[in-house]
Amino acid sequence: MFSFTASMASPATRPDEGAFKTPKTVRVRSCGSNGGTPITIPASPFMKKLGCGTGVNVYLMNRVGKVNASPWAVKKINSKCAAKQLPVYQKRLNEEAKVLKGIDHPNIVGFRAFATAKDGSKCLAMEYGGEQSLNDLIEKRKGDGLKAFPAANVEKVALHVARGLQYLHNEKKLLHGDIKSCNVVIKGDFETVKICDVGVSLQLDENMRVADPQAEYIGTEPWKPKEALDDGGEITDKADVFAYGLTLWEMMTLAMPHLEMLEDYDEEEEEEDSMEISFDEDSYYERLGTRPPLDTEALGSSYRRMVELFYLCTEEDPKKRPSAAQVVQALENNTPLEKTASEVIVID
């Protein structure tokens, strides 16, 4: 079976209510400060749960007592993780804090603090401006019986995420490593668009290849390009571009890549004692790393630019995919986007 990071979800009912004891807030110091101002991180039950991911929960921290202070999003290790997995998640959170601290871009969620509680648990505080994940918006739109996002919304996400990737690739020499709708946050009616979750990013060399040949590309299975699925495949900045193309596809289809066999699943029709979802697993794995189908006729002419961009970014051969910088240039200037040195695809 496949596995992927859960989308933002509502808080689960707290187990063992009778044994629950009122927790206390913990005063901690932010990472990198030497005797700096202590930061008070409330215990998890006193913060609104914004969502969850693999091994972590994200909470809303209102900064009480701070005049005109904006709230923070606080990422904490899920205490229910198996003990053997805790070191892995702690390492990822440490790495994410280290990377995020060195990033300053309007299309990437900003660093605020990294703290260690008295019990040793790590807390990564990030900017929060009322955002929802793009995946949340996709699920809501689908639940409301709507179709693809308006072309203008798709184009805005395309440009702003590409700008964030250009900054990561060209200025910071970093591969994000897990681009998908869950890791794009939107404020209001697409007022701002930002990339989040850099915890599995990888360093790139001057040729845009992953610098450490032993480094593991994590990603999320349905969004992985072919080179990340094959043993010995060379990982470059174009791995992010492939996943970026699938993220645009998500906005135009309101679905997850390669998981269309689950669309007709009705949980209420399943037997109460059955927890299995039946689908063609072999077919699913065969499709991984390929371009999923897109009904361009149903979308209409207003989506032409985004359809062409999707096709370019999801080429199986990474050398045929554009760089993030090329995408930004084409979208900002409404100019042709070079597919290869000898072939040009016009986006107009």
Side-chain angles (χ1 to χ4, degrees):
M1 289 289 289
F2 56 87
S3 62
F4 49 88
T5 304
S7 61
M8 295 298 185
S10 58
T13 303
R14 187 173 62 244
D16 198 11
E17 291 282 346
F20 178 75
K21 296 181 180 179
T22 303
K24 298 178 180 179
T25 58
V26 181
R27 292 178 69 79
V28 294
R29 294 184 185 276
S30 62
C31 178
S33 62
N34 296 314
T37 304
I39 301 169
T40 301
I41 303 291
S44 300
F46 291 121
M47 295 188 288
K48 178 183 177 182
K49 188 175 179 182
L50 295 173
C52 58
T54 305
V56 296
N57 292 324
V58 182
Y59 300 92
L60 176 64
M61 175 181 164
N62 290 308
R63 299 165 66 202
V64 180
K66 302 286 185 179
V67 179
N68 296 324
S70 59
W72 288 349
V74 176
K75 182 180 288 190
K76 301 180 71 174
I77 301 296
N78 187 335
S79 60
K80 294 181 180 179
C81 293
K84 64 180 180 180
Q85 292 295 322
L86 283 176
V88 175
Y89 300 135
Q90 292 281 20
K91 181 180 179 181
R92 286 185 187 176
L93 196 62
N94 286 339
E95 288 299 316
E96 182 173 6
K98 181 180 178 181
V99 170
L100 199 59
K101 195 173 184 180
I103 288 175
D104 182 15
H105 190 274
N107 295 122
I108 302 176
V109 168
F111 173 88
R112 292 297 179 263
F114 188 51
T116 305
K118 289 182 179 179
D119 63 1
S121 62
K122 304 291 185 180
C123 307
L124 172 58
M126 303 164 286
E127 71 168 312
Y128 176 77
E131 300 95 342
Q132 296 183 74
S133 78
L134 178 58
N135 181 259
D136 283 339
L137 297 179
I138 289 171
E139 291 300 316
K140 183 179 185 303
R141 191 171 182 85
K142 183 164 60 175
D144 291 341
L146 300 173
K147 299 296 183 182
F149 283 88
N153 291 155
V154 183
E155 290 186 22
K156 184 165 188 178
V157 169
L159 175 58
H160 286 226
V161 172
R163 284 173 176 167
L165 288 178
Q166 178 185 18
Y167 170 82
L168 288 176
H169 296 168
N170 295 76
E171 295 192 36
K172 307 306 292 187
K173 288 294 186 288
L174 286 172
L175 179 79
H176 181 278
D178 198 16
I179 292 294
K180 57 186 177 183
S181 61
C182 293
N183 288 335
V184 176
V185 290
I186 310 293
K187 179 181 178 181
D189 187 18
F190 292 86
E191 297 164 27
T192 64
V193 180
K194 300 190 179 191
I195 298 169
C196 66
D197 201 351
V198 295
V200 295
S201 62
L202 298 173
Q203 198 69 44
L204 296 169
D205 63 19
E206 64 277 5
N207 296 313
M208 292 297 182
R209 295 189 294 253
V210 171
D212 181 1
Q214 302 302 316
E216 181 185 4
Y217 177 90
I218 303 297
T220 303
E221 200 167 65
W223 289 263
K224 282 185 176 182
K226 184 69 71 175
E227 64 269 22
L229 294 163
D230 296 335
D231 290 337
E234 185 178 72
I235 306 300
T236 68
D237 61 317
K238 301 299 181 64
D240 275 349
V241 173
F242 184 89
Y244 162 82
L246 293 186
T247 303
L248 302 183
W249 180 89
E250 289 183 78
M251 293 189 73
M252 292 185 282
T253 63
L254 307 186
M256 282 189 180
H258 313 302
L259 296 178
E260 56 268 23
M261 71 287 290
L262 301 183
E263 291 300 306
D264 297 328
Y265 170 69
D266 187 346
E267 190 174 1
E268 293 182 358
E269 293 180 0
E270 289 291 301
E271 295 293 334
E272 292 183 3
D273 59 349
S274 174
M275 297 299 290
E276 294 293 323
I277 298 177
S278 177
F279 75 106
D280 188 345
E281 188 171 343
D282 290 338
S283 179
Y284 162 72
Y285 280 109
E286 286 176 5
R287 288 197 294 269
L288 287 180
T290 66
R291 179 189 295 133
L294 182 64
D295 188 347
T296 57
E297 185 175 341
L299 286 170
S301 60
S302 63
Y303 291 86
R304 181 185 171 191
R305 299 178 72 203
M306 293 299 98
V307 168
E308 291 178 343
L309 182 57
F310 157 69
Y311 272 83
L312 284 170
C313 292
T314 53
E315 285 281 359
E316 187 171 320
D317 182 354
K319 293 179 181 179
K320 293 183 179 180
R321 300 172 205 152
S323 66
Q326 287 175 314
V327 172
V328 170
Q329 182 179 12
L331 294 180
E332 285 183 341
N333 302 324
N334 194 22
T335 56
L337 180 61
E338 292 187 359
K339 186 178 180 183
T340 65
S342 60
E343 184 177 1
V344 174
I345 297 288
V346 179
I347 299 178
D348 60 12

